[in-house]
Amino acid sequence: MVKKRKIEKMPVVNTGAAGIDVGGKSHFVAIGQNKEDVREFRAYTGDLRKLAKWLVAEGIVTVAMESTGSYWQQLFMILQEHGLEVILVNGRFTKNVKGKKTDVKDCQWIQKLHSLGLLQGSFLPDTDVETLRTYTRHRRNLIEDAADYIKRMQKALRLMNIRLDSVLNDVTGKSGRAIIDGILEGERNPQDLAKLADWRVKKSQEEIAEALTGNWREEYVFELKQSYEIYKNFHKKIEETDKQIEKLLIKQTEYIDFGDC
């Protein structure tokens, strides 16, 4: 005879717990394990507010939700605005349901794990840190986009056999910009263009002039001009972003007493 073992059920740690399966177009929300305990809400702001009000009306006090892309952010803020405790969970820790997966099963599984106290929230920065992170991400994207237009400028120059990249380490440095400005202003004499290089450039003016001798195809000059203008515009936006970051950092540190540091 097989001896029956007594198996204790895990106690509910978080009463009034809800689980949300976050999606791009809609979110599935579970406040319990019955069919009627699940609702679907669209991702529009008005629907997110209805979601939060429904949870509050049902006596929910704590919510667990997945950190899916950036879809969770607005929902997270709205839930907090309504006084709910929200934890953000990595999807790796909630994707343990076997068999056919559905949005309903997913949100109920999250709710179950959360009610049993088995979910741990990810680190979430405060508002100032999140703002700084947004600025720095945007700045990084601007730099990457600007780098794409440096490549386009180099390509246009190479197609004219203007090998500025062979005599300068950085075609967008002081000397490179001066020479490109000269080209776009109509200068075609390689010796005169070479004189625009800074005296600290290691290559001789003779070699620079050789690198600046090519075929001045109109379409490539046009492409160079457009790419250069877009590149400069990106850097203007980077400078504006830097000012925003500086303002935020000054605001964050103005009340800090550094003492004798």
Side-chain angles (χ1 to χ4, degrees):
M1 179 182 291
V2 179
K3 184 178 180 181
K4 291 184 179 180
R5 292 183 175 85
K6 184 179 180 181
I7 300 175
E8 294 186 5
K9 292 183 178 180
M10 294 185 68
V12 172
V13 175
N14 295 318
T15 56
I20 302 178
D21 182 43
V22 176
K25 295 183 178 180
S26 65
H27 311 306
F28 282 80
V29 188
I31 60 174
Q33 296 301 302
N34 297 318
K35 185 178 179 180
E36 61 271 18
D37 293 330
V38 177
R39 287 191 184 182
E40 179 184 9
F41 293 86
R42 295 179 302 174
Y44 301 131
T45 301
D47 293 275
L48 298 184
R49 297 193 184 281
K50 291 177 183 177
L51 186 162
K53 289 177 181 179
W54 177 61
L55 291 178
V56 171
E58 292 293 332
I60 298 300
V61 294
T62 180
V63 182
M65 55 192 287
E66 287 182 332
S67 54
T68 305
S70 58
Y71 300 129
W72 59 271
Q73 293 178 344
Q74 285 298 314
L75 176 57
F76 184 91
M77 289 188 291
I78 288 173
L79 292 176
Q80 284 195 321
E81 287 174 3
H82 284 75
L84 293 161
E85 176 191 85
V86 191
I87 68 167
L88 192 66
V89 183
N90 191 305
R92 294 198 308 263
F93 306 125
T94 60
K95 299 299 183 184
N96 295 321
V97 182
K98 294 182 179 179
K100 186 177 180 181
K101 290 171 58 59
T102 66
D103 294 322
V104 173
K105 285 184 178 180
D106 281 349
C107 68
Q108 287 187 311
W109 178 246
I110 295 169
Q111 191 274 336
K112 190 171 191 177
L113 293 175
H114 188 34
S115 66
L116 297 174
L118 297 176
L119 295 178
Q120 184 174 359
S122 304
F123 165 75
L124 284 173
D126 59 28
T127 303
D128 285 341
V129 174
E130 180 61 28
T131 302
L132 179 61
R133 179 182 290 180
T134 300
Y135 283 143
T136 54
R137 283 175 179 165
H138 176 59
R139 186 180 190 276
R140 184 178 66 245
N141 291 335
L142 289 173
I143 291 172
E144 291 173 354
D145 290 339
D148 286 338
Y149 280 90
I150 294 175
K151 294 176 183 177
R152 296 187 186 198
M153 290 159 57
Q154 290 174 325
K155 177 186 173 185
L157 289 166
R158 282 197 303 270
L159 289 171
M160 293 185 290
N161 206 30
I162 304 299
R163 298 312 307 268
L164 196 57
D165 56 336
S166 297
V167 291
L168 298 179
N169 292 328
D170 181 8
V171 299
T172 58
K174 181 180 179 182
S175 296
R177 293 198 308 272
I179 291 171
I180 291 173
D181 283 334
I183 292 171
L184 298 179
E185 288 169 5
E187 182 60 66
R188 296 292 179 265
N189 186 296
Q191 284 75 29
D192 289 339
L193 287 171
K195 292 176 183 178
L196 298 173
D198 191 89
W199 63 271
R200 288 168 293 188
V201 174
K202 293 181 180 180
K203 300 292 185 181
S204 66
Q205 284 203 2
E206 290 75 15
E207 187 173 352
I208 296 174
E210 288 180 13
L212 294 173
T213 302
N215 57 85
W216 300 101
R217 294 276 295 272
E218 182 181 351
E219 65 270 31
Y220 296 138
V221 173
F222 178 80
E223 184 178 354
L224 174 65
K225 179 178 182 292
Q226 294 252 304
S227 298
Y228 186 45
E229 289 174 350
I230 294 171
Y231 165 80
K232 289 194 294 184
N233 189 50
F234 273 121
H235 270 267
K236 180 182 177 183
K237 299 306 177 185
I238 291 170
E239 290 174 3
E240 292 174 1
T241 305
D242 286 342
K243 290 178 182 178
Q244 284 295 110
I245 293 173
E246 183 181 10
K247 284 169 57 178
L248 178 63
L249 292 175
I250 291 172
K251 178 184 175 184
Q252 288 179 329
T253 58
E254 63 182 353
Y255 298 113
I256 298 177
D257 182 9
F258 292 99
D260 297 327
C261 294

